[in-house]
Amino acid sequence: MLQFPLWKRILIIGLCLLGLALAAPNMFYKRVEQHNDAATALVKNGALTAEEQGWLAGWPSWMPSGIVNLGLDLRGGAHLLAEVHLSEVYKTRMESLWPELRNALAAERGTLGAIRRVPAPDGQLRIQIANADQLPKAIEVAKTLAQPVVTLTGVGQTDLAVTGEGDTITVQLSEAERKSADERTMAQSLEIVRRRIDAAGTREPTIVRQGTDRILIEVPGIGSAEDLKALIGTTAKLTFNQVTGTATSDDQTPGAGKEVLPDAERKGLFYVLESVPVVTGDDLTDARPETDQNGRPAVGFRFNPAGARAFGDYTAAHIGEPFAIVLDGKVISAPTIQTHIAGGSGIITGNFTVQQSTDLALLLRAGALPAGMTFLEERTIGPELGADSIRAGMIASAVGFIAVVVFMVASYGLFGAFASIALFINIAFVLAFMSIIGATLTLPGIAGIVLTIGTAVDANVLIFERMREELRRGRTPARAFELGFDKAMSAIVDANVTHLMVGTILFVLGAGPVRGFAVTLIFGILASVFTAIWLVRMMIAQWFAYKRPKTVVV
Amino acid sequence: MAFRLKLAPVHTNFDFFRHQILTLGGASLLTVLSIFAMFWPGLNFGIDFRGGTTIRTETSQPLDIGKYRSALETLHLGDVVISEVFDPAFGPDQHVATVRIQAQGDSNAAMDGAAIARVTEALRTVDPDVKVISTESVGPKVSGELIWTAAWSILATLVGIMLYIWLRFEWQFGVGTGIALIHDLFLTIGLFVVFQLKVDLTIVAALLTLLGYSVNDKVVVFDRLRENLVKYKSMPLREVMNLSVNETLSRTVVTSVTTLLALIPLLVLGGDVIRGFVFAMVWGVLIGTYSSIFVAKNIVLFLGVNRNRDRKIDPAAKLFGDKVEVADADK
């Protein structure tokens, strides 16, 4: 054991140096962060401001520049947990199915008799037919509209579930289609939230799905949860609808398939609209701030081919009639169609300021959220609190580290010093690991590092205590070292495996700050096995080869 | 001979079973009391677990909680708890308070920014200098789920540890460890009831960590016990246990001390945000050390150990490919 081949020594020392080098950038956090920001800006814009050039030069580019992410509790920022209203999508799907279904059933009027849509819960269509005995025929007709669902488990299933009772058929999305619609809704929501937050240019946001219908959003550096919500825009949904009339209040019943929506600007003005939109924001490919012919701010837009066709056909057929541009349930503009708009592009005018038109363009470009959201959790952490926490955590860690080093040296002399060096390397490894993978350091994470400082020396304590025992039994120093390492090994393995198990459970079940704690705990345990066993062993072996002591006091 | 700090004498020969009625009985009694205390008077759950909103404010003016309370009464927010926060790290003009507001209405949503702004406005009427440092709001739906997740994660950890100990040792050791960990867990919960400390998600993390630390401690004793069981085949189990605890006593004390040396500065200097978390861990180290010495092995003794099975090959040594016959190395 006391023979350490050269390659092993080089490997161990090399790993330690690598760990120190990778951890080093964290000592110059602000400077490295600015360097990285400038480097990102250089790639993105191709040029730098004078200030950014200074930042770039602030840290040598040949040095590692990975740093740990600071969590919200250390940097300040906002945290939201949003629940996506998945069932809204079912409703939208059914509403858009209605005209098609009506036409299909009306084509069979001869056998079915008159058809009538009756009130039903959201996400269902109920249609009453005059000839109740022809119900099977009606179901058959409705089923022709169904599309096959492509999922792993739902082979051979279609997207519609049609049932009949008495003289009424009920159409809703099938179970398989609901599942796959949910997946699409969540993917789309995540993507849109991500694009909107990225467009605002904030650093290192966390946007992840949680469970079936939730999205966790964490954005460091943002002023408050309210700002973040404004950025995401809860239900920004754009549609182009046919206008059938105006009204002075929204308490009148608009009739089947119609709805009454308020004007965004003028109080007391309401529009009666066809519920089924002509085109929706989903078909937009581009939107940008422009000015109209009078030089007022406006938003230019462009549709994809499908949207362009639908919009072109509609405008050709309805020249001279008004149509409404509806955003978030409000009519932002209701221009009259002047000509057939064929190219699929157009302009939205309204009473916009320049800022509003820019925001609206951004909102449209990012696309509409497919469904609304409820915010189940909102947290805002001010930057001052985060800065206080970092300062307090760093001072406390340093004091704790020094206390442990003093104690170890007092208890085990030179060997305690070896263990202390290993402990320092251990902490460097934790920071290095976290910097490489871009893990997030939270306030409990700092506590995890502190706990590591306290427990990482445990392996060495076990070894040293064992050495003492063996020396007391009159063994030679060399033999005592060997036995100390060998016999302590089983306890070290068991202790670390159970510890690691707890860390893993914390990581899997924890969220946010707790997960940050689990990360430092896990890395601390892994690193301690290397430093406390291999590094300390090598140091002792080298010292032993150099000194060749006859007697040793551990 | 160089100076060495020794916290435990080199040779100890304590009989750790001697006052079992006191050491184990007392621990059991306190555990049972803590379980009752969990229901009455009950834990002081933070908003993570019962929903609601916490607002942390800071001002340079001396705080008057009474004025804060009367300012908020006009908003009709239901149950509002206002408390001043003290910390040695605060400057002389730094006065921090937390305002805790119960979950509003019966919606699942968190309190939104507009409602929080109204609270801030109301506080500004009594102290124009009030700044809001952080706000947290959790809807009742999430908090209900969080409490179950917390309970499950603790249970999963307990079962996982017991299974591992069973695999590595014998089932008696698994049960002994499990009971000792339950003791640690409930005594910590009991302490939180007594001091009415706030229990939030980080406290659950601290509880799990404390389990990890505590089992670590027990494993070391059990490992030595296993070794000694092979070495001293005819010695009565109780004596082998005492010997094993005495032999590892120095290590147990040293590791507890290093852990406490690292944690106590964090408890004192780490700020009030994390104090509860660190407090639970510091207590966990103490209670975990106690249960290693006075609880876990007593349960194993009570259950008995099958000593006929020979366990010469140590799986850990095999794993590391070092020496296979560790237990017999001195023969």
Side-chain angles (χ1 to χ4, degrees):
Chain A
M1 162 244 153
L2 291 174
Q3 305 303 314
F4 256 79
L6 184 66
W7 69 268
K8 233 180 195 175
R9 272 181 281 164
I10 292 175
L11 182 71
I12 292 173
I13 294 174
L15 275 174
C16 293
L17 291 178
L18 184 69
L20 287 172
L22 289 172
N26 293 298
M27 296 296 106
F28 309 93
Y29 198 90
K30 185 88 195 163
R31 207 187 268 193
V32 180
E33 190 177 46
Q34 286 176 340
H35 166 85
N36 291 351
D37 286 350
T40 317
L42 185 62
V43 173
K44 202 170 155 193
N45 308 332
L48 291 179
T49 63
E51 189 186 27
E52 282 173 335
Q53 265 161 2
W55 287 354
L56 192 64
W59 182 252
S61 50
W62 49 267
M63 280 289 286
S65 57
I67 38 178
V68 296
N69 280 326
L70 293 180
L72 286 188
D73 52 354
L74 294 181
R75 190 195 280 275
H79 159 117
L80 289 175
L81 181 66
E83 187 176 59
V84 180
H85 303 160
L86 294 174
S87 58
E88 278 183 15
V89 174
Y90 310 154
K91 186 185 171 198
T92 317
R93 284 280 296 276
M94 284 302 111
E95 289 306 322
S96 60
L97 181 71
W98 169 235
E100 213 181 328
L101 182 63
R102 182 180 53 196
N103 293 343
L105 291 173
E108 299 290 331
R109 191 183 292 265
T111 43
L112 300 177
I115 56 164
R116 192 163 68 91
R117 185 179 169 187
V118 291
D122 284 350
Q124 283 187 359
L125 284 178
R126 277 197 191 145
I127 298 108
Q128 212 172 38
I129 57 172
N131 304 338
D133 54 328
Q134 288 298 320
L135 198 70
K137 176 73 185 165
I139 292 174
E140 199 183 300
V141 169
K143 276 188 175 163
T144 59
L145 298 176
Q147 309 272 329
V149 181
V150 188
T151 61
L152 283 177
T153 50
V155 179
Q157 296 196 50
T158 58
D159 62 350
L160 295 182
V162 186
T163 50
E165 207 191 321
D167 60 351
T168 310
I169 64 167
T170 304
V171 182
Q172 55 188 325
L173 291 181
S174 66
E175 201 55 44
E177 176 60 13
R178 277 175 194 231
K179 279 214 180 69
S180 89
D182 289 353
E183 290 304 310
R184 283 196 303 268
T185 308
M186 288 307 288
Q188 206 180 342
S189 301
L190 272 171
E191 183 54 32
I192 288 164
V193 168
R194 186 170 296 131
R195 268 150 66 180
R196 285 185 187 168
I197 290 172
D198 282 351
T202 40
R203 189 201 316 269
E204 305 289 352
T206 306
I207 301 148
V208 289
R209 179 170 174 185
Q210 279 199 333
T212 49
D213 61 351
R214 290 183 189 167
I215 300 175
L216 175 77
I217 307 154
E218 285 192 341
V219 181
I222 198 167
S224 72
E226 207 56 20
D227 293 355
L228 179 55
K229 269 155 74 180
L231 196 64
I232 298 166
T234 17
T235 55
K237 209 170 172 178
L238 180 85
T239 55
F240 293 79
N241 298 52
Q242 185 178 352
V243 178
T244 56
T246 56
T248 49
S249 73
D250 60 353
D251 52 11
Q252 60 169 293
T253 41
K258 292 199 173 63
E259 58 189 345
V260 179
L261 290 178
D263 188 276
E265 294 292 323
R266 279 161 56 197
K267 274 212 164 90
L269 176 61
F270 294 86
Y271 294 90
V272 183
L273 306 174
E274 200 66 54
S275 291
V276 181
V278 180
V279 206
T280 68
D282 299 347
D283 291 322
L284 278 178
T285 55
D286 191 24
R288 63 206 168 276
E290 279 183 4
T291 47
D292 64 6
Q293 56 268 55
N294 300 324
R296 289 181 310 172
V299 178
F301 61 86
R302 186 182 301 279
F303 286 119
N304 63 17
R309 199 175 321 113
F311 195 60
D313 291 351
Y314 176 79
T315 50
H318 296 83
I319 290 177
E321 290 174 28
F323 81 105
I325 301 168
V326 182
L327 183 73
D328 287 348
K330 283 181 185 150
V331 178
I332 53 170
S333 172
T336 305
I337 300 164
Q338 308 289 351
T339 56
H340 167 209
I341 304 174
S345 64
I347 189 168
I348 304 170
T349 56
N351 244 335
F352 299 133
T353 63
V354 176
Q355 184 60 43
Q356 280 170 333
S357 71
T358 313
D359 286 351
L360 180 58
L362 171 73
L363 218 55
L364 295 180
R365 209 165 44 234
L369 284 168
M373 293 179 179
T374 305
F375 293 99
L376 303 176
E377 251 181 67
E378 297 186 18
R379 296 176 202 255
T380 305
I381 296 115
E384 309 95 324
L385 185 62
D388 287 352
S389 295
I390 291 187
R391 204 176 315 113
M394 271 168 54
I395 293 171
S397 312
V399 173
F401 181 81
I402 292 168
V404 170
V405 167
V406 168
F407 178 81
M408 286 300 283
V409 172
S411 297
Y412 302 105
L414 182 65
F415 295 91
F418 287 156
S420 303
I421 295 170
L423 181 60
F424 183 77
I425 304 273
N426 184 347
I427 305 303
F429 269 127
V430 173
L431 288 175
F433 276 139
M434 293 183 69
S435 303
I436 297 171
I437 63 166
T440 302
L441 182 70
T442 60
L443 186 53
I446 293 180
I449 290 180
V450 170
L451 190 68
T452 302
I453 294 174
T455 55
V457 291
D458 180 49
N460 287 133
V461 171
L462 276 165
I463 294 166
F464 296 161
E465 290 290 331
R466 200 71 203 218
M467 284 182 185
R468 277 184 179 169
E469 273 178 62
E470 300 301 332
L471 282 171
R472 277 200 296 270
R473 285 186 192 154
R475 295 193 202 284
T476 62
R479 185 80 182 125
F481 290 153
E482 208 160 316
L483 287 174
F485 274 94
D486 285 347
K487 288 195 169 182
M489 190 60 78
S490 120
I492 293 172
V493 169
D494 281 328
N496 282 300
V497 168
T498 44
H499 229 149
L500 213 52
M501 212 156 75
V502 173
T504 311
I505 291 175
L506 272 172
F507 183 79
V508 173
L509 294 173
V514 172
R515 183 167 276 194
F517 171 72
V519 168
T520 54
L521 202 63
I522 291 171
F523 285 150
I525 295 163
L526 292 176
S528 81
V529 173
F530 171 78
T531 54
I533 297 173
W534 290 105
L535 185 59
V536 170
R537 196 168 180 159
M538 188 194 76
M539 285 194 280
I540 293 178
Q542 288 310 110
W543 171 79
F544 202 80
Y546 175 72
K547 278 264 183 178
R548 302 231 162 259
K550 289 275 178 298
T551 56
V552 165
V553 180
V554 175
Chain B
M1 189 165 158
F3 164 77
R4 291 288 183 272
L5 177 67
K6 294 242 166 73
L7 295 176
V10 176
H11 290 288
T12 55
N13 202 9
F14 298 119
D15 180 1
F16 290 101
F17 292 95
R18 197 160 164 196
H19 302 290
Q20 231 189 120
I21 297 186
L22 213 66
T23 54
L24 181 64
S28 319
L29 183 70
L30 284 176
T31 307
V32 173
L33 282 178
S34 298
I35 294 174
F36 281 116
M38 224 169 85
F39 297 98
W40 189 87
L43 283 163
N44 173 15
F45 283 119
I47 56 159
D48 286 343
F49 294 128
R50 65 169 178 199
T53 304
T54 307
I55 300 171
R56 186 184 169 96
T57 64
E58 194 182 308
T59 173
S60 57
Q61 308 300 316
L63 275 173
D64 188 339
I65 303 284
K67 272 190 186 164
Y68 274 30
R69 187 168 297 124
S70 49
L72 294 184
E73 255 163 25
T74 54
L75 296 175
H76 304 291
L77 295 165
D79 186 20
V80 177
V81 180
I82 303 166
S83 46
E84 182 162 6
V85 179
F86 298 97
D87 192 278
F90 290 161
D93 296 336
Q94 204 176 359
H95 302 279
V96 177
T98 58
V99 179
R100 192 166 79 187
I101 302 163
Q102 72 166 68
Q104 302 292 305
D106 35 42
S107 91
N108 289 322
M111 198 168 181
D112 66 6
I116 289 169
R118 278 199 296 280
V119 173
T120 318
E121 278 311 306
L123 291 179
R124 290 236 168 91
T125 58
V126 290
D127 180 358
D129 196 43
V130 168
K131 275 189 301 184
V132 171
I133 301 298
S134 71
T135 63
E136 292 185 89
S137 187
V138 178
K141 184 173 180 182
V142 178
S143 61
E145 293 167 6
L146 285 176
I147 208 162
W148 282 111
T149 315
W152 278 117
S153 58
I154 290 173
L155 196 67
T157 309
L158 261 180
V159 171
I161 288 172
M162 283 173 75
L163 282 176
Y164 181 80
I165 300 288
W166 176 33
L167 284 174
R168 287 287 279 126
F169 299 90
E170 307 278 334
W171 67 267
Q172 294 91 337
F173 292 77
V175 174
T177 307
I179 291 175
L181 293 184
I182 289 170
H183 156 268
D184 300 343
L185 205 60
F186 280 109
L187 281 199
T188 310
I189 290 172
L191 191 76
F192 270 72
V193 175
V194 170
F195 289 109
Q196 282 296 301
L197 299 172
K198 192 176 82 180
V199 178
D200 55 22
L201 272 177
T202 59
I203 301 301
V204 176
L207 287 176
L208 291 179
T209 314
L210 159 181
L211 292 185
Y213 178 87
S214 175
V215 73
N216 195 329
D217 229 27
K218 281 146 197 70
V219 161
V220 172
V221 176
F222 286 165
D223 190 76
R224 181 60 69 102
L225 177 58
R226 177 168 58 189
E227 192 185 321
N228 284 338
L229 281 174
V230 178
K231 222 191 230 171
Y232 309 99
K233 283 200 162 65
S234 51
M235 195 189 273
L237 185 56
R238 180 173 159 149
E239 276 170 45
V240 185
M241 282 184 166
N242 263 331
L243 178 71
S244 307
V245 176
N246 275 302
E247 280 180 351
T248 50
L249 191 62
S250 174
R251 174 266 158 195
T252 306
V253 174
V254 169
T255 298
S256 309
V257 169
T258 57
T259 310
L260 290 176
L261 279 177
L263 286 175
I264 286 173
L266 192 64
L267 183 70
V268 179
L269 306 169
D272 68 286
V273 180
I274 202 172
R275 187 151 294 138
F277 180 69
V278 181
F279 180 72
M281 290 208 286
V282 168
W283 170 255
V285 170
L286 295 172
I287 204 75
T289 307
Y290 180 87
S291 70
S292 299
I293 300 175
F294 294 108
V295 180
K297 67 178 202 328
N298 298 46
I299 307 291
V300 180
L301 179 69
F302 180 70
L303 294 169
V305 178
N306 176 10
R307 299 178 68 178
N308 292 326
R309 232 188 300 172
D310 223 5
R311 282 201 163 216
K312 276 186 187 162
I313 298 173
D314 189 303
K318 218 162 72 183
L319 192 71
F320 275 67
D322 286 359
K323 278 198 164 273
V324 174
E325 288 192 21
V326 168
D328 281 355
D330 17 347
K331 278 172 195 162

